[in-house]
Amino acid sequence: MEALRDLPADAPLVVLTGAGISAESGIPTFRDPDGIWARVRLEDVATPEAFARDPGRVHAFYDARRRALLDPAVRPNPAHEALAMLERRWPGPFLLVTQNIDDLHERAGSRRLLHMHGELLKALCTACGERREWRGDLGVETVCPACGRRGTLRPDVVWFGEMPYHLEVIHAALERCRLFVAVGTSGQVYPAAGFVEVARRHGALTVELNLERSAVSDLFHLHRFGRAGEIVPAFVDELLLVTGVGLA
Ligand code: APR
């Protein structure tokens, strides 16, 4: 199957998103020229070793990102909204897997959603394992509300060298999906960058929606290049039309 029109209207879908989908909402990506990793070394803020060495610095990095996410000017854009609409309208199984730690998919209305790299608005206690919503700053003096210990909370995000969340469920969905769509991801970070290969090997049609070619572009059957806020709504409309599901 190499064309969208051959896809049954109840085919299982998996959509993978990365930082590019949130760029037009005002959240910087990682590897673009103005991206986060052009300003900060990931070894200083996004590894378990960095947190062990200098937890204050790591907290300050995520505190700044959490505050920026909670800025009222940061809102879901038409790409997030289109994927939420696709989930509501698609008659078959649907799973949205995001590498993003922001909550813009939820705010747009997505529900069948897995955050494989964790969530910025949650804290995890390394002592008692409690996870809870967290919208304020975190520091080395912060007390865990569940166990009362001091300095044990960390952002509930997956750092380099740690195991992403939900991989079993994601792999099962990749193996049975008939359509795999990747949005706004550079294809440089595994295991997410390898999902297209898994889906394709199991017979899925694979589509890349990105500003430019990614590191794994060759593994996609179809490509649409442009800004997510434009190409994702256009692709969702096209998918709903050619499969006969209809727009509304
Ligand atoms: N619309 C669509 N795509 C865009 C846009 C846009 N407006 N702006 C940027 N992009 C594309 C870039 O061209 C790039 O290919 O989004 C991609 C973003 O790539 P990265 O910055 O590498 O982000 P991502 O792939 O999500 O990174 C994966 O690496 O460090 C981490 O843990 C972090 O989850 C993240 C992981």
Side-chain angles (χ1 to χ4, degrees), residues 94-158:
F94 177 94
L95 179 64
L96 176 56
V97 179
T98 187
Q99 297 168 86
N100 300 343
I101 60 175
D102 66 53
D103 64 341
L104 296 181
H105 282 306
E106 288 90 336
R107 288 197 232 167
S110 289
R111 294 294 172 261
R112 281 174 270 162
L113 162 70
L114 295 176
H115 280 275
M116 64 179 289
H117 291 167
E119 295 173 63
L120 186 55
L121 299 183
K122 284 191 181 156
L124 169 66
C125 178
T126 55
C128 73
E130 170 91 355
R131 256 187 190 98
R132 62 175 59 216
E133 190 179 318
W134 202 275
R135 302 175 85 83
D137 286 351
L138 279 171
V140 290
E141 293 295 315
T142 310
V143 172
C144 171
C147 71
R149 290 194 186 81
R150 188 176 295 276
T152 55
L153 292 176
R154 59 170 278 181
D156 187 16
V157 301
V158 176

Side-chain angles (χ1 to χ4, degrees), residues 75-86 88 104-105 107-109:
R75 288 188 299 271
N77 67 55
H80 298 102
E81 282 156 10
L83 293 182
M85 191 264 273
L86 177 61
R88 281 194 303 274
L104 296 181
H105 282 306
R107 288 197 232 167

Side-chain angles (χ1 to χ4, degrees), residues 9-13 87 89-94 112:
D10 59 353
L13 305 192
E87 174 184 328
R89 297 201 49 75
W90 189 252
F94 177 94
R112 281 174 270 162

Side-chain angles (χ1 to χ4, degrees), residues 34-75:
D34 55 349
I36 292 175
W37 300 147
R39 285 178 275 130
V40 194
R41 278 168 22 108
L42 71 87
E43 295 83 358
D44 291 336
V45 293
T47 66
E49 294 77 17
F51 189 59
R53 210 166 43 233
D54 192 347
R57 171 152 195 206
V58 174
H59 279 312
F61 173 72
Y62 287 97
D63 286 349
R65 291 178 64 191
R66 194 181 301 104
R67 286 186 207 160
L69 176 59
L70 294 173
D71 183 319
V74 171
R75 288 188 299 271

Side-chain angles (χ1 to χ4, degrees), residues 18-19 24 30-32 37 99 117 160 185-186 210-212 228:
E24 290 153 67
F30 295 95
R31 292 173 186 78
D32 289 299
W37 300 147
Q99 297 168 86
H117 291 167
F160 286 91
T185 178
S186 62
N210 206 39
L211 196 57
E212 57 195 11

